[in-house]
Amino acid sequence: DAGVTQSPTHLIKTRGQQVTLRCSPKSGHDTVSWYQQALGQGPQFIFQYYEEEERQRGNFPDRFSGHQFPNYSSELNVNALLLGDSALYLCASSLAGRGRTEAFFGQGTRLTVV
Amino acid sequence: AQSVAQPEDQVNVAEGNPLTVKCTYSVSGNPYLFWYVQYPNRGLQFLLKYITGDNLVKGSYGFEAEFNKSQTSFHLKKPSALVSDSALYFCAVRDSRSSASKIIFGSGTRLSIRP
């Protein structure tokens, strides 16, 4: 049973560029959440996708957008990259309607903006 | 609004001694509470959760946590620490009123176990 997989594992981009990160949820899960973890900090909630729609959003600018596909996989897009966007981006999957369950996390994508 | 506080940035314990990592939370409804562990350059691994029932919950690797509603706390404990327990630990909370509620994390506590 595959867990949550994210790609790529590492990425270096130049300020002002755009980036797309990808996530495949754990088998059987239908909800994907994205988190940003800056160095030395806890994960910060970006947004959550369910049934191909953004269901909740954290305090992040519109430069951060996402998408969920019919197979439940998801993409995180960040436009006009800033140096401050450098962080570990984590994808978490869970089951809708099962708020009692924990979320399962991928290994993350380390984004460095130079 | 939901929030989680981990008052200690770092906890240092000798191997074999008991350890406690503190966590307090704030949520409007009844809480679902979680502990996760993170090793260097890795994602978060689930340790344990409190949903309802017994206030003492047991999880992976010998860890346990005690839910205290009156003190709004969910401290992580282990009777005898191992050097391999050294890692970054995150407490997290979710509001039980909505199945769609997001998980909110604390800032993390670095646990260091000395041989």
Side-chain angles (χ1 to χ4, degrees):
Chain A
D1 178 22
V4 180
T5 58
Q6 293 185 241
S7 63
T9 54
H10 295 81
L11 203 52
I12 300 175
K13 289 287 188 178
T14 302
R15 190 173 46 183
Q17 285 188 314
Q18 179 265 345
V19 68
T20 297
L21 310 181
R22 296 176 176 82
C23 171
S24 292
K26 181 179 171 64
S27 178
H29 283 186
D30 56 10
T31 301
V32 173
S33 301
W34 286 92
Y35 290 81
Q36 180 195 65
Q37 185 181 17
L39 201 60
Q41 297 183 22
Q44 300 295 312
F45 177 78
I46 302 175
F47 42 53
Q48 182 185 83
Y49 276 84
Y50 170 67
E51 291 188 337
E52 303 179 50
E53 291 190 358
E54 183 181 293
R55 190 159 65 168
Q56 286 196 77
R57 189 178 183 91
N59 189 26
F60 279 80
D62 292 344
R63 297 187 298 109
F64 289 77
S65 63
H67 188 77
Q68 187 179 34
F69 299 93
N71 67 353
Y72 307 122
S73 66
S74 177
E75 289 182 349
L76 164 65
N77 301 293
V78 186
N79 295 323
L81 284 167
L82 304 174
L83 297 179
D85 295 332
S86 296
L88 181 67
Y89 288 85
L90 296 166
C91 170
S93 76
S94 57
L95 265 174
R98 298 288 188 92
R100 295 177 167 221
T101 66
E102 62 275 22
F104 290 82
F105 284 80
Q107 301 288 33
T109 295
R110 173 73 63 188
L111 173 65
T112 302
V113 182
V114 297
Chain B
Q2 305 158 231
S3 66
V4 176
Q6 294 182 244
E8 304 154 315
D9 290 338
Q10 178 142 352
V11 171
N12 300 306
V13 177
E15 186 175 29
N17 283 0
L19 69 88
T20 298
V21 182
K22 296 180 180 177
C23 170
T24 58
Y25 66 90
S26 175
V27 66
S28 299
N30 289 321
Y32 293 154
L33 294 158
F34 309 89
W35 275 100
Y36 286 82
V37 60
Q38 186 176 37
Y39 296 98
N41 298 313
R42 303 293 294 275
L44 276 67
Q45 296 179 30
F46 170 76
L47 277 181
L48 52 78
K49 64 183 177 184
Y50 170 82
I51 302 301
T52 187
D54 194 347
N55 289 342
L56 185 65
V57 294
K58 296 187 183 296
S60 306
Y61 313 119
F63 283 94
E64 56 189 29
E66 186 168 13
F67 171 64
N68 187 315
K69 187 172 183 178
S70 62
Q71 298 186 3
T72 61
S73 67
F74 189 56
H75 301 332
L76 181 69
K77 301 180 180 183
K78 188 173 183 180
S80 179
L82 300 173
V83 172
S84 57
D85 292 331
S86 298
L88 191 55
Y89 290 79
F90 291 99
C91 181
V93 66
R94 167 182 262 169
D95 191 332
S96 65
R97 293 177 302 170
S98 169
S99 63
S101 64
K102 56 185 179 283
I103 296 178
I104 299 299
F105 287 85
S107 56
T109 298
R110 186 164 301 281
L111 179 62
S112 177
I113 310 299
R114 61 183 183 275

